[in-house]
Amino acid sequence: MTRFQLICYDLDGTLLDSLADIAGSMNTVLRELGHPEHLVPAYKHFIGDGARVLAQRTLPEPERLPDRIHQAHQRFEQVYQDRWNQETRPYDGILQMLSGVSALGVRQAVLSNKPHRFTVQCVESLLPGETFDKVYGQREGIEKKPDPSGLLQIAREMGVAPEAIAYVGDTLVDMQTAVNAGAFPVGVLWGFRDEAELRAHGAGVLLSHPGEFIEWLKSEGR
């Protein structure tokens, strides 16, 4: 047993290692626009606030004007559509973790700042056989994380109190989202950011490998 009725996950850097495909797509756009590309590890700090912010952060500072950001953002989504699954895969142990949560009878959901269509596409294609009651990416009319609106919408739709939700993620945005919604923040160290960032922004627990999650979840009911 566990005190949590719902486990809600971030996607990129939490369930899926998508860094190479995101970086490759954005670097293609930068190259087309005549701008310098970035090394793949640098994208760990560009990702997390949605595709538009990704475009803004990767453009040279003098180019960060609304029309240039819009152009880069739109082109990124076109390029990413064609290469989103070249190298993206679930992290080792994720499929077993999700199966273990299901075996405990705990419901699961996904809430990402990735555009909604890509979020659904990634989940349906790369997390086969796992049941998520809700899968939401960034949508018009819903503020992106760390605004709690998306997570609170999931709570309402599933009839779960926010305090009965564990929100699992790898960035400060995810920890802030959980705190802002009144959910429990679970920080994972296999993703894009480090322990110091997660602790500083409210992580209630830190996990080093997906294999640790089930035992932690069981311990929360004792």
Side-chain angles (χ1 to χ4, degrees):
M1 297 296 293
T2 174
R3 66 186 173 97
F4 296 112
Q5 299 173 30
L6 172 66
I7 309 300
C8 189
Y9 307 93
D10 172 52
L11 187 63
D12 297 311
T14 300
L15 299 179
L16 300 180
D17 183 358
S18 52
L19 189 67
D21 284 330
I22 293 172
S25 299
M26 196 68 234
N27 278 340
T28 296
V29 175
L30 294 171
R31 188 167 57 250
E32 290 176 356
L33 296 175
H35 301 316
E37 300 174 41
H38 300 280
L39 296 175
V40 172
Y43 279 86
K44 290 184 177 182
H45 298 281
F46 298 146
I47 291 170
D49 291 282
R52 186 184 185 282
V53 176
L54 170 67
Q56 177 180 330
R57 288 173 176 163
T58 55
L59 284 170
E61 197 162 336
E63 295 293 313
R64 294 174 188 173
L65 303 171
D67 60 330
R68 308 288 174 82
I69 295 169
H70 179 76
Q71 179 187 17
H73 173 202
Q74 295 300 306
R75 181 61 182 141
F76 167 78
E77 293 205 2
Q78 293 169 351
V79 174
Y80 187 67
Q81 177 63 53
D82 293 330
R83 66 158 297 163
W84 64 272
N85 61 351
Q86 288 188 11
E87 298 181 61
T88 297
R89 298 293 182 271
Y91 287 101
D92 289 343
I94 286 295
L95 297 184
Q96 294 88 337
M97 182 188 84
L98 297 175
S99 294
V101 174
S102 292
L104 291 175
V106 181
R107 292 185 289 173
Q108 301 179 84
V110 171
L111 176 66
S112 174
N113 274 344
K114 194 184 200 79
H116 182 67
R117 65 189 176 102
F118 290 133
T119 298
V120 172
Q121 188 170 270
C122 284
V123 169
E124 290 182 347
S125 299
L126 299 174
L127 299 170
E130 303 304 331
T131 300
F132 296 98
D133 288 81
K134 301 288 179 180
V135 176
Y136 287 144
Q138 186 178 355
R139 296 160 290 151
E140 290 293 327
I142 302 292
E143 292 293 326
K144 61 185 176 67
K145 302 180 297 181
D147 187 285
S149 298
L151 189 52
L152 292 175
Q153 179 186 13
I154 289 173
R156 288 193 304 272
E157 290 178 351
M158 295 182 63
V160 177
E163 59 269 24
I165 299 173
Y167 187 70
V168 184
D170 67 306
T171 72
L172 66 91
V173 169
D174 300 318
M175 300 303 97
Q176 291 172 333
T177 301
V179 170
N180 292 342
F184 186 89
V186 178
V188 303
L189 298 175
W190 58 80
F192 298 157
R193 305 288 176 82
D194 62 19
E195 179 176 345
E197 175 178 310
L198 296 173
R199 284 196 187 280
H201 291 89
V205 66
L206 292 171
L207 303 175
S208 298
H209 187 274
E212 300 175 6
F213 188 75
I214 299 302
E215 286 309 310
W216 172 80
L217 190 58
K218 289 178 180 177
S219 75
E220 286 300 295
R222 292 174 188 163

